[in-house]
Amino acid sequence: MKTGGLGLAILLAAAVVQAMAGGPAPAAAPAETVVDNFNYPDAASAQAAWRAMWGTAGAAPVEVDGRKALRLPCNFRGTKIERASWDRSVQLDMAACRGLRFRLRCADTSPVAGLSLYLQSGDGWYAARFAQTEREGWSTIAVDKEDMGTEGRPAGWGRISTIRLSAWRGQDTDTELVIADMALVGQEAAIAVVRGESAAHDAPREMGSVVQFTRTVTTCLKELGLDYSVVSDLDLAPQRLTGTRLIILPHNPSMPDAAAEVTVKFLESGGKMMAFYAMPARLGQAAGMPSGTHVPQQFDGYFSSIRFQEAALAGAPPVVGQRSWNIRGARPVEGRSRAAATWFDGDGKSTGWPAVLVSDNCIYMTHVLLQDDAANKRRMVLAMAGHLVPALWRQAAEASYARIGQFGRFAGQDDMALQAFRQVKAGDKPDPARLQSLTTTLKEAERDRLRAQDFLRSGKYPESIAAAQEANRRNILAWCVAQKSQPGEHRAFWCHSALGPSGMTWDEAAKTLAANGFTAIVPNMLWAGTAFYESRLLPVAPEVSEKGDQIALCLAACRKYGLQCHVWKVNWNTGGRAPKQFMERLKQEGRLQVRFDGKSDEHWLCPSHPENQKLERDSMVEVAAAYPVDGIHFDYIRYPDRDGCFCPGCRDRFEAAIGAKVADWPTDVRRDAALEAKWLQWRRDNITRLVAATSEAVRKARPKCSISAAVFSNWPVDRDNVGQDWKLWCERGYVDFVCPMDYTPYEGEFEGLVARQVQWAGKVPCYPGIGLSTWPSQTDICKLIDQISITRRLGTRGFTIFELSAPTASEIVPLCGKGITAKE
Ligand SMILES: [Zn+2]
């Protein structure tokens, strides 16, 4: 029976894979303009183009997999260089593109602490960090302009004069980078997103929202597979709109006259526009749109959703959730525009205010685009763009179809299916039920793919997109089903909310975690100045009287479902949650931190103050003594950075510790290297003292209670920067396990971090922190599977995921339970 079932599944697998061959050609990749194809005849010419800086070894041309490339040696061994760095002089106009793209491979990234790309412009630089995304072979590195910060005062994207690549020293070992195919992307795209950078001068307080809301729109375009460029409103010129058919104004509180002029001309010559919230009056006239007035919400939830009138905009979802706090109150202009959608409140009542207006050349939404209800937002944005430029429907449908199966590391659906079957069939005893489930899911995915293909061929683009998305949902499910569990692991979730994931009781949260094979929860129940339980030492949060003692509730749920509960304290930091009176008292008693520049740090308690040490320790002991918890968990068990703490008390206590006066406080502890070494050690001792004292007292109060800590990822650097000497805590047995916060989305970087941390932790278990909620996509189950697999390869026997939010609990936890953490 067993072998029979297996044989059938294999036959089915073959059928599925075969059926996947063929289909329409994938959508064309975004247009690229070559910056460097690395076709250098010899080392001398390569080194003349890519100049090695500050003692870095020279570049050399190589050919890898038939691809011309450049070898960049990182000569860290036996040298003092802070980074290996290469400069390439260029004359680039990046004003109308999306960003820079190139390929990278590096066989061993462990000697590198980080990689940076810099673009020089005038006296300043645009800068971004990047990382290898694939552990083997080529990674495609895409650095978008909007993700780059600035250093100094760059003179604009139109005047890029140098490309600099830097690999920062991590270890005293050599390695090398290989780069290839450097190009600009997004030039001459049909969509130009105009970023309101003039706000930096004209409306500085708005600049943060300009960046944020521009990114919300571009993220949406990216996910739709629509090609676009980003153009600053300071750079808008007719020659930069070659190929542009649609201009998007995501949030433009100000607009220079020249830019408005160019946009009006663009509209007059047949161009289209999509605008959000603010629109200069001149543009409104050219687009047949009203200039609205500020309308605040009448109550929380007044603007809760956008509802489209039937058939008002083809392909738009009937309802799009968006909780806006205000809008522009704008009515249609007679004979020019019409309302296509209206704002509704949380009770489903119409506010009467238009949400979306449509004219011949423009679609206008009366507030900025927010991130909530992302799937419907994408559908709405596509319907808007597709209404104005119908060719975009096809572009999005082709991209959607081409992306079927393209998630995680997979080239496509057949690649994923093959790997999924290989994975299930590996080992001694393949599970027939799992094989059956995988086969069924893949067949359903294939059925959806065929539907998407038919719709695409017959020009039914919205239907094709919906079918492609359904195919991918099933493909992801199939990959989850193909995963194997590993018994005996410590599988934990941090939960930042002391009340549990929103919309769930502790009972529901614990039930779903346990049912899906998780073993522990780490709930954040206390801060430096707040307790979510009946504390006698810390101010008790008002939620406790309203909703009950949260440790008691969480613990009861954990007991019921057989889950461990490790209570998490945010040490030293109040997070701005402590009552005013409490903070005033601490301030008067000199218990708050003072920065190097003399400013007080209102959120951080001074670690060297004996009363703070006592409060931190006693509050954790209080929890362990009063509740039968499985563990207590330190977090923020460190200084904020190098600038804390320089309070008068720290000066006195430091001077007493070293038995000498510091003549010029605090300058000398940085100027004098010997004194600085003592200072850094003294800071570490302050933190370690609390860990040791708490550990000892908790073990006395409840011998079986585990002691653990969330720690920074790079111990040798962090012990100086934030005074966190966690390798020592492991050596001395103060902690029973550590959870380094390895919140990188990049597999290679994650693996390098964990490999080093396991060494530092020594005999103490290391359950690495996986930063799910910090990744660009916070529901990326495939990346989560990859990182869990890395912890298994490195033998950690456990991991800790950040964090248990509402979408994680409802979407991710059940997908883990399908395979990677399935209960045995
Ligand atoms: Zn201090």
Side-chain angles (χ1 to χ4, degrees), residues 18-244:
Q18 256 188 359
M20 287 171 194
E32 302 199 349
T33 312
V34 173
V35 172
D36 197 331
N37 57 14
F38 301 101
N39 194 3
Y40 297 105
D42 50 40
S45 58
Q47 285 168 20
W50 288 85
R51 298 186 311 283
M53 311 295 288
W54 312 303
T56 304
V62 282
E63 200 168 308
V64 185
D65 303 339
R67 185 174 268 141
K68 299 279 186 194
L70 195 65
R71 199 173 75 87
L72 302 171
C74 304
N75 51 320
F76 296 138
R77 195 194 168 111
T79 65
K80 289 275 175 229
I81 57 171
E82 186 189 17
R83 55 173 151 164
S85 212
W86 303 266
D87 276 13
R88 166 86 149 88
S89 293
V90 289
Q91 272 188 310
L92 277 185
D93 182 350
M94 290 183 64
C97 73
R98 191 195 297 191
L100 197 67
R101 194 155 303 186
F102 57 96
R103 289 177 210 276
L104 167 75
R105 58 193 293 160
C106 177
D108 178 16
T109 52
S110 65
V112 179
L115 295 162
S116 302
L117 170 75
Y118 298 90
L119 301 172
Q120 187 173 31
S121 165
D123 294 334
W125 298 81
Y126 298 104
R129 300 281 264 193
F130 64 93
Q132 180 166 262
T133 52
E134 308 296 323
R135 272 184 313 125
E136 283 162 23
W138 293 100
S139 295
T140 300
I141 308 296
V143 182
D144 287 355
K145 288 193 300 184
E146 55 191 310
D147 294 331
M148 300 191 82
T150 59
E151 291 179 11
R153 293 177 66 91
W157 289 101
R159 297 170 51 195
I160 303 298
S161 55
T162 307
I163 299 172
R164 170 175 295 168
L165 288 172
S166 295
W168 296 88
R169 170 191 289 271
Q171 286 183 50
D172 207 12
T173 318
D174 289 345
T175 187
E176 63 178 39
L177 312 178
V178 178
I179 56 166
D181 299 338
M182 189 172 275
L184 297 187
V185 287
Q187 282 192 313
E188 304 198 3
I191 300 174
V193 179
V194 178
R195 192 155 96 147
E197 292 177 10
S198 63
H201 306 279
D202 302 339
R205 286 171 59 188
E206 286 290 326
M207 200 51 212
S209 1
V210 166
V211 170
Q212 182 187 344
F213 299 129
T214 304
R215 183 168 291 151
T216 310
V217 168
T218 54
T219 302
C220 194
L221 298 175
K222 223 178 276 179
E223 284 166 357
L224 285 165
L226 294 176
D227 198 12
Y228 66 89
S229 67
V230 176
V231 191
S232 163
D233 61 352
L234 300 169
D235 289 331
L236 207 58
Q239 71 272 19
R240 291 191 169 125
L241 294 176
T242 329
T244 304

Side-chain angles (χ1 to χ4, degrees), residues 606 645 647 650:
C606 170
C645 168
C647 74
C650 273

Side-chain angles (χ1 to χ4, degrees), residues 495-501 504-513 521-525 549-558 561 563 804:
C495 182
H496 212 297
S497 163
L499 306 170
M504 256 187 194
T505 60
W506 275 120
D507 191 275
E508 289 163 338
K511 187 179 179 182
T512 182
L513 284 176
I521 184 156
V522 190
N524 183 194
M525 295 297 186
D549 180 318
Q550 295 301 310
I551 295 186
L553 287 170
C554 179
L555 193 56
C558 288
Y561 298 105
L563 213 59
L804 195 69

Side-chain angles (χ1 to χ4, degrees), residues 367-529:
H367 196 219
V368 291
L369 193 74
L370 302 180
Q371 285 179 2
D372 48 349
D373 196 11
N376 280 319
K377 285 283 163 56
R378 282 197 291 276
R379 285 175 65 194
M380 177 179 79
V381 167
L382 179 58
M384 290 164 140
H387 175 82
L388 294 166
V389 182
L392 294 175
W393 270 115
R394 185 175 167 177
Q395 194 183 115
E398 284 175 346
S400 207
Y401 183 81
R403 283 180 185 180
I404 293 177
Q406 280 188 0
F407 52 86
R409 72 187 94 127
F410 307 114
Q413 189 172 269
D414 46 357
D415 179 28
M416 187 277 295
L418 272 177
Q419 293 199 44
F421 275 108
R422 203 171 289 155
Q423 187 137 328
V424 172
K425 284 186 257 168
D428 307 334
K429 277 198 211 158
D431 173 0
R434 192 167 289 273
L435 266 178
Q436 185 57 54
S437 167
L438 174 61
T439 307
T440 309
T441 312
L442 282 172
K443 278 169 81 178
E444 288 166 353
E446 174 58 6
R447 188 198 60 204
D448 290 327
R449 184 191 70 80
L450 290 170
R451 281 174 49 227
Q453 187 183 61
D454 286 347
F455 285 132
L456 186 57
R457 282 175 177 158
S458 53
K460 291 183 175 164
Y461 301 124
E463 293 84 349
S464 176
I465 291 170
Q469 282 168 350
E470 191 55 17
N472 253 355
R473 192 187 63 78
R474 291 188 201 275
N475 277 323
I476 288 169
L477 179 61
W479 182 240
C480 292
V481 166
Q483 303 308 309
K484 284 204 177 107
S485 190
Q486 184 167 298
E489 280 178 332
H490 174 92
R491 300 179 188 140
F493 257 104
W494 277 295
C495 182
H496 212 297
S497 163
L499 306 170
S502 75
M504 256 187 194
T505 60
W506 275 120
D507 191 275
E508 289 163 338
K511 187 179 179 182
T512 182
L513 284 176
N516 290 291
F518 285 86
T519 63
I521 184 156
V522 190
N524 183 194
M525 295 297 186
L526 56 163
W527 294 66

Side-chain angles (χ1 to χ4, degrees), residues 493-497 568 770-773 801-805 808-809:
F493 257 104
W494 277 295
C495 182
H496 212 297
S497 163
W568 159 14
I770 299 177
L772 174 69
S773 298
I801 305 174
F802 184 78
E803 64 129 358
L804 195 69
S805 61
T808 329

Side-chain angles (χ1 to χ4, degrees), residues 590 592-594 606-609 639 645-651 653 682:
L592 300 183
Q593 290 197 22
V594 174
C606 170
S608 80
H609 196 293
Y639 282 85
C645 168
F646 292 90
C647 74
C650 273
R651 179 183 189 171
R653 292 183 283 269
W682 182 74

Side-chain angles (χ1 to χ4, degrees), residues 687-753:
I687 303 295
T688 297
R689 191 163 67 248
L690 174 63
V691 176
T694 307
S695 177
E696 194 190 336
V698 165
R699 282 171 179 163
K700 234 176 243 164
R702 189 172 298 280
K704 282 191 178 164
C705 182
S706 283
I707 320 281
S708 61
V711 294
F712 272 14
S713 61
N714 195 11
W715 162 77
V717 172
D718 300 325
R719 67 196 289 271
D720 280 342
N721 282 348
V722 297
Q724 189 177 64
D725 208 1
W726 63 265
K727 180 170 177 280
L728 183 77
W729 309 343
C730 293
E731 283 166 8
R732 297 205 175 151
Y734 300 152
V735 286
D736 296 302
F737 63 88
V738 282
C739 309
M741 296 174 281
D742 299 330
Y743 296 170
T744 168
Y746 305 117
E747 220 180 317
E749 199 176 348
F750 182 80
E751 181 154 11
L753 287 171

